[in-house]
Amino acid sequence: MSALDTADGRGLPWSLLGNLALLALLALCTIALLPLHDDAWWISAPRPLRWWLAGGVAAAYAGFCAAQLWPRRPAHAKATAASADGTPPLLVAWASQTGFARLLAERTAAMLHAGGVPVLALPLEEVDAALLTRTRRALFVASTTGEGDPPDHALAFLRRTMAQCPALGGLDFALLALGDREYRDFCAFGRQLDEWLRARGARPLFDRVEVDNADAATLRHWQYEVGRFGGLSDLPDWTPPAYEPWRLHSRRQANAGSPGGAAFDLQLVPAAGALPSWQAGDIAEVGPRNARERVQALLQALQLPGDAPVDAGNGTEALAACLMRMQLPAADAVSDVDAQALVSGLRPLPHREYSIASIPAEGHLRLLVRRMTRPDGSAGLGSGWLCDLAAPGGTIDVRLRRNPGFHPPPDDLPLILIGNGTGMAGLRAHLQARVAAGARANWLLFGERSPAHDLFFADDIRRWQAQGWLPRLDLAFSRAPAAPCYVQDRLRAAAADLRDWVGRGASVLVCGNAVGMAPAVDAALAEVLGTEHLEALRAEGRYRRDVY
């Protein structure tokens, strides 16, 4: 149990019990003192001044009790009524039985608030229909208790707000569902809340994140997604991954001449030991590193030797090597510290997530990474490290993370794979897994910019077509010389076949961009299949997404 168990009802039970206990103690003291009166006890009316003094003391005591019983909110929940342009603050709402969901919600709100995002943090029972309809972005952290029940304090939200069925077409939301897979109805309330929000027209910022028994890797994923849409890319991980060293075996540009950003095909192998196991759909968490030139410039400014031994919590290493993995400060902010004090005051660089493009049977970990650029033209933290700075033959920090929400569906049923850009990495892993399992009913719909440069893994696709593993392929290129189109256009054009495949039990997997492609594909699927049918597929686990 968490230390917050006693605070899950916002402190009310303990405050009330404390006051009752004090009153009971005073009553007992009064009874115990009565025998000391050995003569008659004459009660006389007090003077008026004493009446006023007694009344003042009673009023002060009542005010003190009211202050203790008044609901308390984090400081950031009070101070962010709206942004400068009048946009409502981002709502962070929690439903918590033991206090853990509240802790995560407050940590999420504090992270956004520190990054300059106006935030309003509330328990779910204080969220009504009027607040939801005027809110533009919301994050929900919802736990499940008992056999699939909502937390006790959230029952008022179900009876009042959910019963009103407000239209929420102006709301973008994300939801973190907490549960335990040992129970039959895993994350039941979180799923119920997610489905209700979607049914009222709210649009997911990214797919529901389900946490099994406080799994640290899944919580890192939630933090990563929240930071990404909030524009907070450099915040430290709540729980840094326990990385393993992998060796960069090869790297090549996969789209030379493309009108879009350069994308690179990377192959990695363990630096030591056997290749670990993973499934199609799983994620590689990569620990980036700073450019060596930045580290050397800081060391020179501080006049510190790069080979000075320091301890960053995982053994002794050289100062320069340690700084490669840390968020570097401005030199004038740390000008008077020694090497160990410098390292002790720094935080690790946050991890980056990439879809795995291979399966273990291929003997290597494969990634498809697009070089991202900052407003000043410099490469992004993670992509700059992988695409430019990491040397072939050198080591890269990697941790593999299970992603059960995007694991393969049954091999004996058809599979429709939809994606764009570097989302082809996740789709390739699924296709390779289907080939290994002998499953031939596969349909790929893929979109990018140029047909001449941007068909990632083209050799694999042509081989699968020739060998009968990919009987249906629809490509969409937005800058094709003739008939430019997008992947959602291909879906609508193939509406009859799409309904036929789904009718025969096909699952639909989507991987790629969460901003443009994923919502457009979602809308096209709802148009072709019907919104209720699409939601039923989602509930059955036949509509899965890995979008970023």
Side-chain angles (χ1 to χ4, degrees):
M1 296 285 281
S2 166
L4 286 175
D5 291 345
T6 57
D8 202 27
R10 292 168 290 152
L12 299 183
W14 287 117
S15 299
L16 183 59
L17 288 174
N19 282 280
L20 291 176
L22 178 60
L23 291 174
L25 179 61
L26 291 173
L28 289 173
C29 290
T30 301
I31 296 171
L33 292 173
L34 282 176
L36 298 179
H37 293 273
D38 54 0
D39 54 357
W41 182 26
W42 298 98
I43 303 176
S44 61
R47 298 174 182 175
L49 177 60
R50 293 188 177 183
W51 276 114
W52 284 108
L53 291 175
V57 171
Y61 180 72
F64 174 78
C65 293
Q68 296 301 310
L69 293 172
W70 193 261
R72 298 177 182 177
R73 298 175 190 165
H76 56 263
K78 303 174 184 177
T80 54
S83 61
D85 61 358
T87 302
L90 186 149
L91 173 65
V92 179
W94 74 83
S96 182
Q97 188 68 19
T98 67
F100 186 53
R102 176 180 180 173
L103 173 66
L104 293 175
E106 291 180 346
R107 186 178 288 181
T108 299
M111 177 179 74
L112 291 166
H113 180 66
V117 179
V119 178
L120 175 64
L122 293 173
L124 192 58
E125 73 270 21
E126 294 189 21
V127 177
D128 57 22
L131 176 59
L132 281 179
T133 53
R134 67 173 179 266
T135 298
R136 293 293 169 262
R137 295 192 301 175
L139 304 177
F140 297 87
V141 183
S143 65
T144 297
T145 186
E147 293 297 329
D149 300 320
D152 296 339
H153 73 95
L155 291 174
F157 178 83
L158 273 75
R159 290 193 297 264
R160 183 183 63 245
T161 305
M162 293 181 72
Q164 293 182 28
C165 297
L168 302 176
L171 178 66
D172 295 325
F173 78 97
L175 191 142
L176 178 68
L178 308 180
D180 188 334
R181 290 192 183 275
E182 292 186 1
Y183 291 89
R184 181 185 60 190
D185 295 315
F186 175 65
C187 290
F189 177 60
R191 293 175 177 179
Q192 178 188 1
L193 180 57
D194 181 57
E195 292 167 4
W196 178 80
L197 289 164
R198 292 173 186 265
R200 305 317 310 154
R203 298 173 299 275
L205 291 159
F206 49 88
D207 284 353
R208 180 179 67 239
V209 177
E210 296 184 344
V211 182
D212 179 19
N213 201 22
D215 177 62
T218 312
L219 293 177
R220 278 197 304 275
H221 177 62
W222 166 260
Q223 184 195 12
Y224 174 83
E225 291 288 359
V226 171
R228 182 181 58 79
F229 91 79
L232 313 174
S233 60
D234 293 329
L235 292 174
D237 292 320
W238 291 341
T239 55
Y243 296 119
E244 296 291 339
W246 289 65
R247 194 168 304 284
L248 179 56
H249 181 264
S250 66
R251 177 179 59 210
R252 68 173 186 86
Q253 186 174 349
N255 62 343
S258 171
F264 292 82
D265 183 356
L266 296 87
Q267 295 186 16
L268 297 89
V269 295
L275 191 74
S277 179
W278 69 86
Q279 291 189 60
D282 285 345
I283 300 295
E285 297 180 339
V286 173
R289 298 188 187 180
N290 293 301
R292 196 173 303 276
E293 293 75 14
R294 287 193 63 206
V295 172
Q296 291 301 323
L298 178 63
L299 290 173
Q300 289 178 6
L302 299 178
Q303 297 184 343
L304 291 174
D307 58 356
V310 293
D311 185 358
N314 55 353
T316 302
E317 63 179 331
L319 174 60
C322 183
L323 292 178
M324 293 283 288
R325 304 190 306 273
M326 298 292 181
Q327 297 190 48
L328 300 181
D332 56 2
V334 290
S335 57
D336 57 349
V337 300
D338 60 22
Q340 184 59 58
L342 173 64
V343 168
S344 299
L346 299 181
R347 298 182 297 189
L349 290 169
H351 79 282
R352 293 293 184 262
E353 298 188 352
Y354 300 96
S355 298
I356 299 175
S358 57
I359 61 175
E362 296 178 89
H364 57 259
L365 183 76
R366 197 167 181 180
L367 305 177
L368 182 62
V369 181
R370 192 183 301 277
R371 182 196 288 125
M372 306 303 293
T373 55
R374 297 187 175 101
D376 63 1
S378 63
L381 178 63
S383 64
W385 165 239
L386 292 175
C387 299
D388 301 323
L389 301 177
T395 58
I396 292 176
D397 292 334
V398 178
R399 182 191 185 276
L400 305 186
R401 177 174 68 79
R402 294 183 69 252
N403 186 21
F406 202 61
H407 279 172
D411 298 328
D412 58 346
L413 294 173
L415 179 62
I416 302 171
L417 298 144
I418 306 170
N420 76 326
T422 54
M424 187 61 206
L427 303 184
R428 183 197 179 279
H430 276 286
L431 281 167
Q432 189 65 55
R434 298 277 290 183
V435 171
R440 293 182 176 272
N442 305 307
W443 178 4
L444 173 65
L445 299 101
F446 174 73
E448 244 292 347
R449 291 178 175 83
S450 166
H453 307 287
D454 293 320
L455 181 55
F456 299 123
F457 307 118
D459 292 342
D460 294 327
I461 290 173
R462 295 188 183 101
R463 183 178 71 255
W464 291 329
Q465 279 189 291
Q467 296 175 352
W469 299 110
L470 189 57
R472 179 75 186 259
L473 174 66
D474 288 87
L475 300 175
F477 295 101
S478 60
R479 300 188 186 182
C485 66
Y486 295 92
V487 68
Q488 60 267 26
D489 300 324
R490 295 297 190 200
L491 274 172
R492 292 187 175 93
D497 290 337
L498 178 61
R499 286 189 287 266
D500 176 64
W501 277 60
V502 171
R504 291 189 285 117
S507 293
V508 180
L509 301 186
V510 179
C511 191
N513 187 277
V515 177
M517 182 275 300
V521 165
D522 195 71
L525 289 171
E527 179 183 322
V528 173
L529 301 175
T531 301
E532 291 186 5
H533 193 181
L534 185 61
E535 289 304 316
L537 292 178
R538 192 193 310 272
E540 295 169 15
R542 291 174 55 196
Y543 178 34
R544 310 182 189 184
R545 307 195 311 171
D546 179 17
V547 296
Y548 44 84

